[in-house]
Amino acid sequence: MASKDHGGGAPREDGSDEDCGCVSWTIALLLYTSFWLVMVYLPPMDSLPGIRELDGSPPCNDDKPTTCSVELAGARGLEPALAPGATSPAFDLVVHVDNGRVYELCHGGGDVVVSYAGVPLARGRTPSFRLPAKTTGRWAVNVTGVGLGIPADLSRLMTAERRWGVAQLEIDMGLAWQSFTCDVLVDGQPGA
């Protein structure tokens, strides 16, 4: 029987080489470690000079968020509920949407609630729309209430705040997958 100690690294009589397996593992370990070191310390590909999109343009980094603003075009029914000729609160809104994304925005309609001092006055829905990438759009939204006028205490508060020029409606709106809330002056400026 042959001895297992062959001294000097000579090949064994059975044709196997124990050192070969150790060298393979060492090479594999070095390659694996160097791969991860390169991945960790390599700068992003779009920051390297010469990196281009398929069409030859520079990399696209101009993806911006979708923004929304609301303009109050008209309001009716803001008199006290017990006043003669009181009608349901109704608001004509214009919704402005700026799709800063690099993809199309699809919206299937969403809820709109107009409140004053935390009291919901009217509800409605935004229309469905498709807004291409990097474009803007605007849509009319009619929001109506179910009761006649607004409660007397709320009416007095609104009258006083309108005199001071600070009466604001709060508009909560669901748009695509986002919720937006903005304040709009009852007698004027659009809210963002």
Side-chain angles (χ1 to χ4, degrees), residues 17-40:
D17 187 4
E18 290 179 18
D19 290 337
C20 183
C22 182
V23 170
S24 301
W25 276 104
T26 304
I27 291 173
L29 182 63
L30 285 172
L31 287 174
Y32 181 79
T33 305
S34 62
F35 170 77
W36 286 110
L37 285 172
V38 167
M39 297 314 298
V40 167

Side-chain angles (χ1 to χ4, degrees), residues 1 23 25 27 43 48 51 59 62 64-65 74 85-86 113 116 121-122 136 138 151 167 173 184 187-188:
M1 181 149 202
V23 170
W25 276 104
I27 291 173
L48 296 175
I51 302 295
D62 62 345
K64 308 250 183 323
V113 178
Y116 184 77
L121 299 178
T136 60
R138 49 185 283 158
M173 176 173 37
V184 177
D187 297 313

Side-chain angles (χ1 to χ4, degrees), residues 5 16 35 40 47 50 64 74 76-77 93 95 110 113 118 125 129 135-136 139 141 151 160 162 167 180 183 185 189:
D5 184 18
S16 68
F35 170 77
V40 167
S47 69
K64 308 250 183 323
R76 298 174 303 286
L93 307 174
V95 177
V113 178
R125 289 198 51 85
F129 63 82
T135 58
T136 60
W139 293 269
V141 178
R162 286 176 87 175
F180 292 94
D183 295 326
L185 290 174
Q189 306 301 314

Side-chain angles (χ1 to χ4, degrees), residues 42-102:
L42 186 69
M45 294 304 289
D46 59 356
S47 69
L48 296 175
I51 302 295
R52 298 284 182 194
E53 297 289 339
L54 292 176
D55 64 357
S57 64
C60 180
N61 290 331
D62 62 345
D63 192 29
K64 308 250 183 323
T66 299
T67 58
C68 175
S69 65
V70 178
E71 178 184 344
L72 179 63
R76 298 174 303 286
L78 298 181
E79 60 273 341
L82 299 176
T87 60
S88 296
F91 303 93
D92 299 322
L93 307 174
V94 179
V95 177
H96 302 267
V97 180
D98 181 2
N99 183 13
R101 303 281 185 194
V102 293

Side-chain angles (χ1 to χ4, degrees), residues 95-120:
V95 177
H96 302 267
V97 180
D98 181 2
N99 183 13
R101 303 281 185 194
V102 293
Y103 49 84
E104 181 178 61
L105 175 67
C106 299
H107 175 61
D111 293 326
V112 179
V113 178
V114 177
S115 304
Y116 184 77
V119 178

Side-chain angles (χ1 to χ4, degrees), residues 148-167:
L148 293 179
I150 57 177
D153 292 341
L154 193 62
S155 178
R156 282 192 294 275
L157 175 64
M158 183 183 289
T159 302
E161 288 186 348
R162 286 176 87 175
R163 255 193 315 262
W164 300 325
V166 295

Side-chain angles (χ1 to χ4, degrees), residues 172-181:
D172 294 313
M173 176 173 37
L175 186 66
W177 58 89
Q178 297 175 334
S179 294
F180 292 94
T181 299

